[in-house]
């Protein structure tokens, strides 16, 4: 099946908006925790599962030969060489508490759901709580649609680490959180400040839009960043891991080209 990044982006955008409407409707009706995953505080809602099933079914209608990789385990292998990567609700704890910082994140890549080998083609991140939409396609730039306005995104060009506002996130296990807290004792004195909003996809889009100067986190999964990291890249960000590695579970960093090596030095220590 032939494809172009622009056509794939149009599909991702349509399905993300539809899924966002479903997620918002379920939030207004009240949220039910369906299960926990890695720890007792790593929750899955019924809306997470319903959204994933909805998106997978819609993509099967529109792109039946493509593969699928979702946070809640709805994986399938396609024949086209493309894989759709979904986080049905990125920021589930925010969703549970009705904090309006959560998103549907949909990306499509050439290859499998592995940042070491994939080629990102298109991605959409949609926060239905405030109807804030971010999207991008490879070589096509990154954009935000909000309040009836479309804006092309560019990262900030801050060059002084001490003046840079960074965001991060924390894992769900006590051991990982302890290590992340230790890292903060090095990072926090060196930057303007740290934010922790609770949704990796939206943090990456905030870097793209200039609301943040940078973002770093250990422990992210492909569904957390497949769409947001493409949006950030298309807005001019450098996205990667440490010591030349691709972004992934060991570390994800997104910032401008001037600040990347500066924050990397501190994260390697």
């Amino acid at each position: 099946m032939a494809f172009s990044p622009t056509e794939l982006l149009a599909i991702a955008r349509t399905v993300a908006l539809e899924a966002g409407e479903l997620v918002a409707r379920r939030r207004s009706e009240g949220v039910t925790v369906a299960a926990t995953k890695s720890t007792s505080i790593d929750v899955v809602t019924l809306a997470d599962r319903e959204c994933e099933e909805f998106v997978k079914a819609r993509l099967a209608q529109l792109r039946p030969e493509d593969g699928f990789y979702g946070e809640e385990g709805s994986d399938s292998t396609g024949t086209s060489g493309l894989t759709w990567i979904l986080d049905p609700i990125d920021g589930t704890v925010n969703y549970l508490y009705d904090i309006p910082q959560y998103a549907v994140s949909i990306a499509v890549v050439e290859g499998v759901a592995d940042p070491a080998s994939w080629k990102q083609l298109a991605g959409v991140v949609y926060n239905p709580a405030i109807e804030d939409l971010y999207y991008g396609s490879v070589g096509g730039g990154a954009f935000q649609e909000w309040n009836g306005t479309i804006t092309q995104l560019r990262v900030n060009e801050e060059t002084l680490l001490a003046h840079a506002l960074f965001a991060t996130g924390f894992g769900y296990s006590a051991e990982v959180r302890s290590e992340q807290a230790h890292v903060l004792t090095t990072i926090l004195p060196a930057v303007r400040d740290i934010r922790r909003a609770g949704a990796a996809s939206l943090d990456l889009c905030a870097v793209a839009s200039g609301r943040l100067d940078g973002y770093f986190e250990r422990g992210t999964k492909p569904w957390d960043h497949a769409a947001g990291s493409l949006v950030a890249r298309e807005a001019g960000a450098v996205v990667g891991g440490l010591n030349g590695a691709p972004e992934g579970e060991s570390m994800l960093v997104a910032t401008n080209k001037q600040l990347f090596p500066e924050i990397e030095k501190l994260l390697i220590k």
Side-chain angles (χ1 to χ4, degrees):
M1 184 179 290
F3 67 88
S4 75
T6 301
E7 293 167 347
L8 295 171
L9 177 59
I11 292 171
R13 184 183 183 280
T14 296
V15 176
L17 289 171
E18 293 172 351
E21 192 278 330
L22 171 62
V23 166
R25 186 168 70 251
R26 293 292 180 256
R27 175 58 260 185
S28 69
E29 296 168 353
V31 176
T32 300
V33 174
T36 59
K37 294 189 287 187
S38 60
T39 72
S40 63
I41 58 174
D42 185 8
V43 298
V44 179
T45 71
L46 291 177
D48 283 279
R49 293 178 173 177
E50 185 180 7
C51 180
E52 181 156 320
E53 290 169 2
F54 170 81
V55 170
K56 185 176 182 181
R58 285 288 284 127
L59 291 173
Q61 292 174 338
L62 298 168
R63 298 284 307 180
E65 297 181 14
D66 297 348
F68 184 84
Y69 186 77
E71 180 179 11
E72 308 311 327
S74 300
D75 301 348
S76 62
T77 301
T79 59
S80 67
L82 303 186
T83 304
W84 292 85
I85 303 173
L86 170 71
D87 193 335
I89 305 176
D90 183 27
T92 299
V93 172
N94 287 345
Y95 185 71
L96 178 65
Y97 281 84
D98 202 16
I99 298 169
Q101 183 75 3
Y102 52 85
V104 177
S105 174
I106 302 177
V108 58
V109 303
E110 189 171 358
V112 297
D114 181 357
S117 61
W118 71 28
K119 178 182 178 181
Q120 294 166 297
L121 299 174
V124 175
V125 176
Y126 179 51
N127 180 349
I130 59 172
E131 299 183 356
D132 198 11
L133 178 70
Y134 298 88
Y135 54 89
S137 60
V138 61
F143 300 86
Q144 177 188 20
E145 289 186 25
W146 185 71
N147 199 27
T149 300
I150 300 176
T151 304
Q152 184 163 6
L153 303 179
R154 290 299 302 173
V155 297
N156 286 341
E157 294 299 329
E158 177 61 60
T159 60
L160 189 61
L161 188 62
H163 290 177
L165 181 64
F166 273 79
T168 192
F170 304 124
Y172 288 105
S173 77
E175 180 183 0
V176 170
R177 287 184 174 204
S178 179
E179 293 175 4
Q180 289 171 324
H182 179 70
V183 170
L184 281 179
T185 64
T186 299
I187 302 297
L188 190 54
V191 299
R192 183 187 296 274
D193 208 346
I194 294 287
R195 297 289 181 265
R196 191 278 198 265
S201 62
L202 290 173
D203 284 338
L204 286 161
C205 291
V207 174
S209 68
R211 290 177 177 171
L212 293 169
D213 295 302
Y215 161 75
F216 66 91
E217 186 171 351
R218 174 189 167 191
T220 58
K221 303 292 187 179
W223 53 74
D224 293 315
H225 61 84
S229 62
L230 174 61
V231 172
R233 280 191 169 101
E234 286 297 316
V238 177
V239 182
L242 303 179
N243 293 314
E247 67 272 19
E249 286 195 56
S250 60
M251 184 59 70
L252 186 158
V253 182
T255 186
N256 65 44
K257 63 183 179 181
Q258 293 87 2
L259 293 178
F260 192 100
E262 299 301 315
I263 197 72
E264 181 183 32
K265 290 176 188 176
L266 296 179
L267 290 169
I268 289 173
K269 286 184 180 179

